[in-house]
Amino acid sequence: MTHRKYEQRLRAQGAEETRRRILDALYERLRSAPSEPVSVDRIARAAEVSRSTVYLVFGTRSGLFDALGADLLRRGGFEDMVRAVLQPDAMKGLRDGIRGNVSMYAAHRDVLRALYSMAQLDADAVGGAVQRLEKGRAAGMDDLAQRLAEQDALRPEVTADEAATVLWLLSGFDSFDLLYTGRSLTLDEVAATLVTTAERALCR
């Protein structure tokens, strides 16, 4: 390895470590003080960087929250969940997808609760990150509902549009949290309840 390439690798590693520190600082702030406004200055201090470094790495406040949302999904198993939903058998995709969603939400429940609550009170507070996450989830449920219809898995009176709405409801964070936190169900019980509800409401 040449000296130049070695220096480039060190710079890339340093940039990734800085990015990780900032995201970890934001995560910890949301987890420990979910009801308080998030200050970029405070996140910068916690990450031991300047405010300008936060903006240099993420571009905007919105970019920072978007990056956190993507990071939570990645660490929570988002790619595995997507693969589960998209498998050829749509009914199995429904069951495994809901189970994957439950595991993903549970992995970072406290921080996701803070993000979703902030989005309800002030969409600008999280830079639209939650809205963009929700838009992607809605599109995924539209696709799953269409595949269920094409595979003749829906009850005759249930349209693909109606199925998409029900799947969107049952796959949401709030549906998970009402059962997990509100009813103190285990992850397996939450998943089983949501899957059973979906199958009884939609499927033959």
Side-chain angles (χ1 to χ4, degrees):
M1 179 181 295
T2 67
H3 183 70
R4 180 179 177 81
K5 288 183 178 179
Y6 178 72
E7 288 182 338
Q8 289 173 338
R9 189 181 71 176
L10 288 180
R11 282 198 296 271
Q13 289 175 344
E16 180 54 34
E17 288 171 1
T18 298
R19 184 178 188 277
R20 182 75 264 160
R21 287 205 315 275
I22 295 169
L23 288 177
D24 287 346
L26 176 56
Y27 182 101
E28 181 57 28
R29 182 61 183 167
L30 290 171
R31 188 195 65 78
S32 62
S35 62
E36 296 181 12
V38 175
S39 162
V40 173
D41 285 336
R42 189 160 189 167
I43 299 304
R45 288 197 299 273
E48 299 181 340
V49 300
S50 67
R51 174 188 174 93
S52 62
T53 296
V54 175
Y55 287 107
L56 178 64
V57 173
F58 297 100
T60 62
R61 179 186 175 88
S62 175
L64 172 61
F65 278 97
D66 279 342
L68 178 66
D71 188 59
L72 293 177
L73 292 180
R74 180 184 59 79
R75 291 195 288 154
F78 177 74
E79 291 183 359
D80 291 338
M81 184 275 294
V82 170
R83 280 194 293 270
V85 171
L86 294 179
Q87 61 187 294
D89 185 335
M91 277 298 299
K92 197 166 188 307
L94 182 156
R95 298 178 186 122
D96 291 350
I98 287 178
R99 293 187 185 104
N101 248 13
V102 167
S103 295
M104 185 174 65
Y105 291 145
H108 303 289
R109 183 268 165 192
D110 292 347
V111 172
L112 287 171
R113 177 73 280 163
L115 286 174
Y116 277 85
S117 295
M118 289 168 67
Q120 290 292 323
L121 296 172
D122 181 5
D124 292 335
V126 294
V130 169
Q131 289 82 352
R132 282 183 280 278
L133 291 175
E134 288 296 284
K135 184 177 180 179
R137 183 172 67 83
M141 293 304 98
D142 288 346
D143 177 74
L144 177 59
Q146 188 60 46
R147 291 193 298 116
L148 287 167
E150 291 170 355
Q151 295 179 21
D152 203 27
L154 298 178
R155 289 163 44 189
E157 68 273 22
V158 177
T159 68
D161 286 345
E162 290 169 340
T165 297
V166 172
L167 290 171
W168 178 83
L169 171 67
L170 295 176
S171 66
F173 175 80
D174 286 324
S175 293
F176 153 80
D177 204 35
L178 282 169
L179 296 172
Y180 184 63
T181 304
R183 298 287 290 178
S184 299
L185 300 187
T186 66
L187 294 185
D188 286 342
E189 289 170 337
V190 171
T193 299
L194 294 172
V195 168
T196 299
T197 301
E199 290 181 338
R200 288 177 178 172
L202 303 175
C203 302
R204 293 178 182 275

